[in-house]
């Protein structure tokens, strides 16, 4: 059974860059099942709903939320079975629990069938 | 981006009850819609994908239906572990978008 675990700083200062890593165990990040998984990020501001951030495929292909695209990069480290997110120019609006997840594509849809436990990131000086 | 709405935003029910939550999208998404349950302090858990397919390990008291722009999640014989917040996700067109959630509380 796949297990995902986020890691990163709990507190980041405004205008700085957030770096988060999701370590995957129990499955290969390079798996070609269903054409390969879409390794994804979702965030949830305290007390609010879920926001899809984007995904990266093991091949390096990405797709990002237009609202974050200008500040966002993602990378995949197949050697260490993990993937990462970098979000620049942080503001208080980026304060949220960040989840990593596995998008498992069926046909044209890729529901998130496994999630990490989430990590709270607070943007504050 | 496709807008997703859910109703109701909250509801109270008792163990053993049957409840239905609806999800609407601003444009057709075929059957590319999934449902998730988030218990307090926990990560969301996939319940149903492709509108009506039960995720492995999810009890059969959960049933999804719908296509196009209108979808429903029906939970029969509510159990204590079913209480939490339910989200739908349109996973047809990027950017994926979640519904705002339906909080299901114990009466």
């Amino acid at each position: 059974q796949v297990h995902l675990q986020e890691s990163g700083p709990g507190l980041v200062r405004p205008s700085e860059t957030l770096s988060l890593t999701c370590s995957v165990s129990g499955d290969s990040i390079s798996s070609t099942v269903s054409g390969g998984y879409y390794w994804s990020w979702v965030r949830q501001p305290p007390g609010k709903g879920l926001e899809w951030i984007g995904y990266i495929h093991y091949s390096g292909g990405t797709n990002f939320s237009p609202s974050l695209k200008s500040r966002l990069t993602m990378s995949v480290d197949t050697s260490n079975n993990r993937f990462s997110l970098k979000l620049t120019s942080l503001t208080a609006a980026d304060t949220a629990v960040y989840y990593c997840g596995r998008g498992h594509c069926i046909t044209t849809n890729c529901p998130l069938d496994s999630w990490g436990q989430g990590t709270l990131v607070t943007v504050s000086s | 981006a496709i807008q997703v709405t859910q109703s109701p935003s909250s509801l109270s029910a008792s163990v053993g009850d049957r409840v239905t939550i609806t999800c609407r999208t601003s444009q057709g998404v075929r059957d590319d819609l999934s449902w998730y349950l988030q218990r307090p302090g926990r990560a969301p858990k996939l319940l149903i994908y492709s509108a009506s397919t039960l995720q492995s390990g999810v009890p059969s008291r959960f049933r999804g239906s719908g296509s196009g722009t209108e979808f429903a999640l029906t939970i029969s014989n509510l159990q204590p572990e079913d209480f939490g917040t339910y989200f739908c996700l349109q996973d047809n067109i990027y950017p994926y978008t979640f519904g705002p959630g339906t909080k299901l509380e114990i009466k």
Side-chain angles (χ1 to χ4, degrees):
Chain A
Q1 182 168 343
V2 66
H3 179 75
L4 291 82
Q5 179 68 58
E6 305 88 351
S7 59
L11 179 65
V12 187
R13 298 189 185 283
S15 80
E16 293 190 341
T17 296
L18 170 65
S19 295
L20 294 176
T21 295
C22 182
S23 299
V24 179
S25 58
D27 198 359
S28 170
I29 206 167
S30 303
S31 171
T32 56
V33 169
S34 301
Y37 297 113
Y38 285 14
W39 301 101
S40 305
W41 292 94
V42 172
R43 69 180 183 179
Q44 185 172 37
K48 296 189 177 181
L50 299 164
E51 179 185 13
W52 181 83
I53 296 173
Y55 74 74
I56 185 165
H57 188 260
Y58 78 90
S59 64
T62 57
N63 197 316
F64 298 155
S65 170
S67 65
L68 297 172
K69 190 173 184 177
S70 64
R71 301 191 289 132
L72 186 62
T73 57
M74 291 188 187
S75 59
V76 61
D77 179 354
T78 54
S79 299
N80 291 295
N81 222 40
R82 63 189 186 190
F83 60 104
S84 299
L85 165 155
K86 286 190 190 302
L87 186 64
T88 64
S89 305
L90 292 178
T91 71
D94 295 309
T95 294
V97 175
Y98 285 74
Y99 296 99
C100 59
R102 186 179 77 172
H104 186 171
C105 297
I106 311 301
T107 51
T108 55
N109 56 322
C110 304
L112 297 167
D113 69 352
S114 296
W115 296 64
Q117 67 183 24
T119 186
L120 174 62
V121 175
T122 302
V123 181
S124 175
S125 55
Chain B
I2 294 177
Q3 306 300 310
V4 182
T5 58
Q6 275 182 248
S7 62
S9 58
S10 66
L11 74 158
S12 296
S14 301
V15 172
D17 283 355
R18 183 174 74 175
V19 299
T20 296
I21 300 167
T22 62
C23 182
R24 290 186 173 84
T25 58
S26 60
Q27 63 186 76
V29 296
R30 308 197 311 181
D31 64 351
D32 294 343
L33 187 117
S34 46
W35 290 96
Y36 302 81
L37 166 60
Q38 184 177 36
R39 298 188 183 96
R42 304 284 295 275
K45 172 188 172 184
L46 176 64
L47 301 172
I48 286 171
Y49 62 91
S50 301
S52 60
T53 303
L54 207 61
Q55 171 69 351
S56 176
V58 174
S60 59
R61 62 179 180 273
F62 291 89
R63 186 173 70 87
S65 61
S67 182
T69 62
E70 295 202 11
F71 302 85
L73 173 69
T74 299
I75 313 165
S76 303
N77 188 24
L78 274 172
Q79 297 299 299
E81 61 267 29
D82 299 338
F83 293 91
T85 301
Y86 289 82
F87 294 95
C88 58
L89 168 69
Q90 71 79 16
D91 45 29
N92 177 250
I93 295 174
Y94 291 105
Y96 284 179
T97 41
F98 288 91
T102 295
K103 188 172 184 178
L104 176 57
E105 298 177 307
I106 299 175
K107 186 182 290 183

